[in-house]
Amino acid sequence: MTFHRFTLENGLRVAWAPRDTARFASQLRVYHGAAQERAGEEGLAHFLEHLVWSSGGAGLNADEADMLRNSAGYSNAVTNMKSTTYHFSDMGEGFEDALKLFKACFTPSFDESVIERERKRVLREIKDIAHNGPYRGRKLVDNLFLEKGDPRLRDIGGQESVVASATSESISAFHQRGYGPKNALLVIAGGMPLNAEDLIKRHLGNLPAGSGEPYAFSPNVQLNKPHWHELSAPELASRDSSEDSSCALDILMNALTLRNNCYHP
């Protein structure tokens, strides 16, 4: 697949690959993730992901944003350490719906009712992550590779106390530090209108460049021997029948690439 690349005047990088298909897939990646959180902000990246994708903005209210997302073939958002990514896939006629939602990511409304609704969802997700066996196993790997104080050792989900007390002002301040077109990448592939480039420029080209830059991670600790770890997971045990109990075995093999000596969880 060959991608065409161009950069809008506000710095937004675009990679797109038109194909003769009925559907398209798109993602907006903003390089403002959990690593950019300061002390007392642990969880704002995750919380912001929920709000940006649900609050509307740029002429869309929260109900309209929900309608566009729910009518798509696929819609989701994911936060990691170095970025937050928004996904939208649909039939070709939904192309402008994707652009409207992506534009709203840069100018969210932060509706108070949506903040309270999503606060509850994020707090539930933080609790779920804490009891996720594979996630806990991955954190053990992180502790092998990363130096003390590295932001990648934090939980991406965040701290319950931070999310519970976050205000629209603190969330907006975190958003303004990194949600700018010059700190983002838009990728689209599949069936799209013939004037797709013009539509991208019309919807996203008039936004201010904004702030932010990708986080520069430190090199990783080099391992010189295998490591074995066991995690207790009593929730997998059946009190009534040992045959109904289960066990998860994860074999993790992490390798550094030739171009990058940093391991990014």
Side-chain angles (χ1 to χ4, degrees):
M1 182 182 299
T2 301
F3 279 88
H4 306 283
R5 303 173 187 272
F6 63 93
T7 302
L8 301 184
E9 291 185 4
N10 57 15
L12 178 66
R13 289 167 293 156
V14 181
W16 59 303
R19 295 176 65 84
D20 187 19
T21 60
R23 301 180 63 84
F24 73 95
S26 62
Q27 64 171 237
L28 176 69
R29 179 174 298 175
V30 184
Y31 292 95
H32 196 57
Q36 276 87 355
E37 295 168 343
R38 298 169 181 170
E41 294 182 336
E42 298 87 347
L44 289 191
H46 180 199
F47 198 178
L48 182 59
E49 167 219 310
H50 279 245
L51 296 176
V52 160
W53 207 222
S54 303
S55 289
L60 292 177
N61 60 40
D63 290 339
E64 290 169 334
D66 280 342
M67 182 186 69
L68 293 182
R69 288 187 295 104
N70 293 333
S71 65
Y74 175 75
S75 170
N76 196 19
V78 180
T79 301
N80 63 32
M81 276 293 158
K82 59 184 176 181
S83 62
T84 305
T85 305
Y86 302 89
H87 300 268
F88 187 97
S89 300
D90 204 359
M91 304 299 285
E93 55 266 26
F95 188 80
E96 285 197 80
D97 292 344
L99 297 181
K100 290 175 183 177
L101 285 169
F102 292 151
K103 183 175 183 177
C105 290
F106 296 111
T107 58
S109 62
F110 295 125
D111 182 277
E112 289 294 339
S113 64
V114 176
I115 289 176
E116 294 311 314
R117 183 190 71 193
E118 296 303 318
R119 190 193 308 275
K120 295 176 183 178
R121 291 178 175 173
V122 172
L123 289 173
R124 284 198 301 269
E125 288 184 7
I126 292 174
K127 291 182 184 296
D128 290 342
I129 290 172
H131 296 92
N132 183 289
Y135 180 79
R136 288 187 290 151
R138 189 56 179 263
K139 296 307 291 183
L140 285 174
V141 175
D142 293 347
N143 277 281
L144 293 175
F145 277 98
L146 306 174
E147 297 281 4
K148 183 178 180 180
D150 193 299
R152 290 169 289 181
L153 292 174
R154 300 199 298 258
D155 288 329
I156 292 174
Q159 297 181 10
E160 291 183 57
S161 60
V162 172
V163 173
S165 62
T167 64
S168 58
E169 290 78 15
S170 63
I171 298 166
S172 178
F174 182 75
H175 177 275
Q176 290 176 13
R177 290 212 313 266
Y179 270 69
K182 78 180 188 69
N183 194 36
L185 169 68
L186 175 64
V187 180
I188 308 174
M192 60 188 78
L194 294 176
N195 63 335
E197 183 172 349
D198 291 335
L199 291 173
I200 293 170
K201 291 178 179 178
R202 187 205 311 167
H203 284 278
L204 302 173
N206 60 352
L207 294 167
S211 303
E213 59 184 21
Y215 190 92
F217 293 99
S218 301
N220 306 295
V221 173
Q222 303 299 307
L223 302 184
N224 53 20
K225 63 178 182 180
H227 290 259
W228 171 268
H229 291 279
E230 294 183 21
L231 285 174
S232 174
E235 67 274 9
L236 299 179
S238 170
R239 294 177 180 272
D240 301 322
S241 172
S242 60
E243 294 182 357
D244 292 332
S245 299
S246 59
C247 172
L249 173 63
D250 291 319
I251 300 176
L252 303 177
M253 303 176 67
N254 292 280
L256 307 178
T257 67
L258 293 175
R259 297 184 179 181
N260 190 349
N261 69 344
C262 283
Y263 154 76
H264 296 296

